[in-house]
Amino acid sequence: MNAVAEKHFIDAASNRHLDWLESEAIHIMREVAAECTNPALLFSGGKDSIVLLRIAEKAFRPGKFPFPLVHVDTGHNFPEVIAFRDKRVAELGERLIVGSVEESIKRGTVRLRNPQTDSRNAAQAVTLLETIAEHQFDACIGGARRDEEKARAKERIFSFRDEFGQWNPKAQRPELWDLYNTRVHPGENMRVFPISNWTELDVWQYIAREGLELPSIYFAHEREVIPRNGLLVPLTDLTPPRAGEVVEKRVVRFRTVGDISCTCPVSSDAATVEAIIEETAVTQITERGATRMDDQTSESSMEKRKKEGYF
């Protein structure tokens, strides 16, 4: 087999793989619309939720989405991502509901030692549960994937949450033969993950195939950062240098986006989707392991947050 034929074979195999993942995700999203009374789709402006929007388009267009879009805004998000979120929602003509951690702080349901500088990432769980209760959502569709983190690896596609919004890994439902039990009592809800079986590489290959637009911070750019504990902390008002730390200017990109206080870029000169695919194919560190300070506080950080109602 010559080089051209080999590339054609690999591309065809990749497309068949993406077709299967896409078909599964469309099936799951339609199952939510058919079985759940009042679902919502969580859209942050990040790459995984951007993929979810394309899946929703393929599942329900030319009609409107059978659910609103929901974003829990910490008030400490990267401005490029919020601008992209609003632009994409306007293009789609869909309804966006924003739950505000800032409003939760004002109500007193979220308490931080220093509300202006402390990380608000974990506080999102409270605001999410308040948003679910206010709008009586019985299912929230999210972009979590099993390859991101070990707590997410053992989560079902239809992940049951009790009346307190809590996740119990020992009380999940079997999902044999792609059959899903969506029944919940009032106050309970489901978190549904249509791209749970995707990898980071699958996501980027799908973005390339579909020609999806992304926030600019996903691509290589120059930024001031602070090397800290093996991570590159972005220099911002929320994340200033500590005593003795040195600020450096590096070419970086973000593999994942979240609250500024806990999200770090990685050194990279990948300025195109194709370059990112090549880089992702050989990386040996998960995206959260390489970029999220909140996941490094302990080995069970994510599982503890999920049990409290986190995404």
Side-chain angles (χ1 to χ4, degrees), residues 47-307:
K47 68 180 187 309
D48 299 306
S49 59
I50 290 169
V51 166
L52 283 183
L53 287 188
R54 175 50 57 91
I55 297 296
E57 287 183 279
K58 294 196 175 188
F60 304 114
R61 287 297 193 236
K64 299 282 285 184
F65 293 171
F67 37 66
L69 308 180
V70 171
H71 181 219
V72 176
D73 186 357
T74 66
H76 290 169
N77 296 101
F78 290 96
E80 301 95 326
V81 180
I82 295 300
F84 181 89
R85 178 201 71 183
D86 294 341
K87 173 177 174 287
R88 190 71 185 105
V89 169
E91 290 171 349
L92 290 168
E94 297 292 343
R95 177 187 174 205
L96 174 67
I97 297 170
V98 179
S100 170
V101 173
E102 186 69 40
E103 291 302 314
S104 296
I105 293 172
K106 291 177 181 178
R107 285 192 295 268
T109 52
V110 166
R111 296 187 179 184
L112 300 173
R113 183 175 301 174
N114 188 332
Q116 300 308 313
T117 58
D118 285 358
S119 176
R120 299 181 176 185
N121 194 54
Q124 292 181 92
V126 175
T127 305
L128 175 61
L129 294 178
E130 290 175 343
T131 304
I132 289 172
E134 178 183 353
H135 297 277
Q136 298 184 320
F137 295 130
D138 61 345
C140 290
I141 303 167
R145 308 186 321 271
R146 287 177 175 144
D147 78 320
E148 290 182 276
E149 204 275 340
K150 58 187 178 183
R152 286 182 166 168
K154 58 186 178 183
E155 190 158 28
R156 298 284 194 262
I157 290 175
F158 278 74
S159 180
F160 173 74
R161 306 298 172 98
D162 65 19
E163 63 271 24
F164 301 106
Q166 297 175 327
W167 174 65
N168 182 352
K170 296 181 180 180
Q172 298 300 303
R173 299 167 178 181
E175 294 181 341
L176 304 175
W177 308 297
D178 293 335
L179 297 175
Y180 306 107
N181 180 352
T182 64
R183 287 175 292 184
V184 294
H185 292 110
E188 299 171 342
N189 68 88
M190 288 284 183
R191 307 290 169 81
V192 185
F193 306 112
I195 63 171
S196 186
N197 290 327
W198 298 41
T199 65
E200 183 184 9
L201 182 60
D202 294 328
V203 169
W204 280 108
Q205 288 177 329
Y206 190 77
I207 287 168
R209 188 178 83 167
E210 298 295 311
L212 300 181
E213 187 180 355
L214 297 170
S216 59
I217 64 173
Y218 276 111
F219 301 98
H221 59 282
E222 199 171 71
R223 182 180 291 262
E224 289 185 308
V225 297
I226 308 156
R228 180 184 300 164
N229 299 328
L231 299 175
L232 299 178
V233 179
L235 177 65
T236 69
D237 292 339
L238 298 170
T239 52
R242 297 171 181 169
E245 291 185 330
V246 178
V247 176
E248 301 178 3
K249 186 170 285 188
R250 295 200 192 179
V251 176
V252 299
R253 69 176 182 88
F254 286 84
R255 287 175 67 184
T256 180
V257 296
D259 190 83
I260 289 174
S261 64
C262 63
T263 306
C264 299
V266 296
S267 290
S268 172
D269 59 1
T272 66
V273 172
E274 291 72 21
I276 291 173
I277 289 173
E278 291 180 7
E279 192 174 86
T280 304
V282 297
T283 187
Q284 296 182 342
I285 304 175
T286 65
E287 60 188 280
R288 294 191 69 93
T291 64
R292 299 301 287 263
M293 288 185 279
D294 52 333
D295 286 345
Q296 296 196 352
T297 55
S298 79
E299 289 193 357
S300 58
S301 294
M302 172 64 80
E303 184 157 332
K304 289 178 180 177
R305 291 200 302 275
K306 290 178 77 65
K307 288 179 178 179

Side-chain angles (χ1 to χ4, degrees), residues 7-31:
K7 183 179 185 303
H8 177 76
F9 176 81
I10 293 172
D11 289 345
S14 177
N15 270 319
R16 285 196 300 271
H17 175 64
L18 292 177
D19 286 343
W20 185 91
L21 291 173
E22 179 188 73
S23 178
E24 179 190 49
I26 289 172
H27 165 68
I28 292 165
M29 205 167 281
R30 287 174 175 166
E31 190 79 0

